[in-house]
Amino acid sequence: MKFSILALLPALISGATAAPKPAGTLAKRDAPKVYLAGDSTMAKNGGGAGTGTEGWGQYLAYSLDIEVINDAIGGRSARSFTNEGRFQAIIDVVEPGDFVVIEFGHNDGGSLSTTDNGRTDCFGDGEETCISPTTGETVYTFVFYEVEAGKALQAKGANVIMSSQTPDNPWETGTFVYEPTRFVGYAKTAADAIGASYVDHGQYVADRFEALGATAVDAFYPNDHTHTSPEGADVVSAAFVKSVLCANDGLAAHVKNATSSVPGSCV
């Protein structure tokens, strides 16, 4: 992987300032930024350019008074985002006071028994390890990858928000069914392990989709049961904003909307 498991707390390099800062002081920029780390459900173009889909991260900026940098990319898991150096790229540029939203789960499942797609995490919620049957790589758990990235980001002074994965179309069968995957619980475990914020984005999306009904929600999924249309992505983004407001997370101070103006109820 691109950032060392043994050296995940990078040195803090102080920039030149008009007046020297006390040792150990981290200077905040005038306005924080929000970095998004996730998969296609969050990423620009959603399921791919030209597919008529969009990731919810593309709409978050409309609800905030600070800049949003969407670093999510399709097909990634907590493991592959780590191994490709994508977490490290955010760690390298994040500054004190910035926010980083981490949301994975759609690509983290599967088995490492006989093959390895490069995305599957080792099963478990702690420091369990597996050996890739394809490459011989030591593979860690979803929780481990998120915790290690979160600790490195916190060491740079960032506010980390662990967000649970969004659901696939819960109306797909004609009857509303929402059964959170194990990665929803894993995201909270990772947040608790490092004292990061946690929002149950998946539950907030599910509640909104149940209220909107099958006809409306089915139209949000033009190609499959995972990737949303622009209209669906907008609803999913609003659900994230609602979860932040209800949790009274630090990011809530930068939300333009009052809690009562965002559809849905706090859970």
Side-chain angles (χ1 to χ4, degrees):
M1 63 187 66
K2 296 297 183 181
F3 60 87
S4 170
I5 294 299
L6 298 177
L8 285 163
L9 305 182
L12 303 175
I13 303 174
S14 58
T17 57
K21 298 281 185 180
T25 298
L26 298 174
K28 292 185 178 182
R29 58 162 60 96
D30 290 339
K33 297 181 180 182
V34 182
Y35 293 86
L36 305 181
D39 55 35
S40 60
T41 59
M42 179 191 274
K44 182 179 180 180
N45 294 322
T51 62
T53 60
E54 190 61 275
W56 69 266
Q58 290 298 98
Y59 291 87
L60 183 59
Y62 295 106
S63 294
L64 302 180
D65 62 10
I66 53 178
E67 183 180 0
V68 176
I69 297 95
N70 191 355
D71 286 325
I73 186 167
R76 270 51 178 191
S77 65
R79 173 189 169 195
S80 61
F81 208 82
T82 298
N83 288 349
E84 292 175 4
R86 298 183 186 278
F87 273 128
Q88 186 62 54
I90 299 174
I91 294 164
D92 288 343
V93 299
V94 77
E95 295 188 18
D98 287 346
F99 297 86
V100 182
V101 180
I102 299 174
E103 183 181 292
F104 289 97
H106 284 284
N107 301 307
D108 291 81
S111 171
L112 291 169
S113 59
T114 58
T115 60
D116 179 14
N117 61 8
R119 305 183 301 184
T120 301
D121 310 314
C122 187
F123 191 87
D125 61 359
E127 296 187 356
E128 297 92 338
T129 60
C130 301
I131 301 299
S132 166
T134 304
T135 66
E137 170 195 351
T138 298
V139 181
Y140 301 89
T141 66
F142 177 94
V143 172
F144 186 85
Y145 289 118
E146 291 210 341
V147 163
E148 297 307 305
K151 287 193 298 185
L153 289 161
Q154 288 176 329
K156 293 290 295 287
N159 302 292
V160 176
I161 302 172
M162 300 294 189
S163 179
S164 66
Q165 73 173 100
T166 56
D168 290 337
N169 183 0
W171 285 105
E172 186 176 19
T173 64
T175 301
F176 182 86
V177 178
Y178 173 56
E179 297 178 347
T181 74
R182 68 181 186 272
F183 299 105
V184 170
Y186 287 170
K188 187 174 190 307
T189 298
D192 290 345
I194 60 173
S197 298
Y198 171 76
V199 293
D200 195 351
H201 192 191
Q203 186 64 61
Y204 278 84
V205 172
D207 287 352
R208 282 301 297 143
F209 281 2
E210 184 174 20
L212 289 169
T215 300
V217 174
D218 283 344
F220 291 160
Y221 293 90
N223 303 323
D224 55 34
H225 64 194
T226 300
H227 301 100
T228 54
S229 65
E231 295 77 13
D234 193 20
V235 173
V236 174
S237 179
F240 176 79
V241 172
K242 187 73 172 186
S243 68
V244 167
L245 288 168
C246 290
N248 196 26
D249 179 87
L251 185 58
H254 297 284
V255 175
K256 299 176 183 178
N257 322 80
T259 305
S260 60
S261 72
V262 183
S265 301
C266 294
V267 298

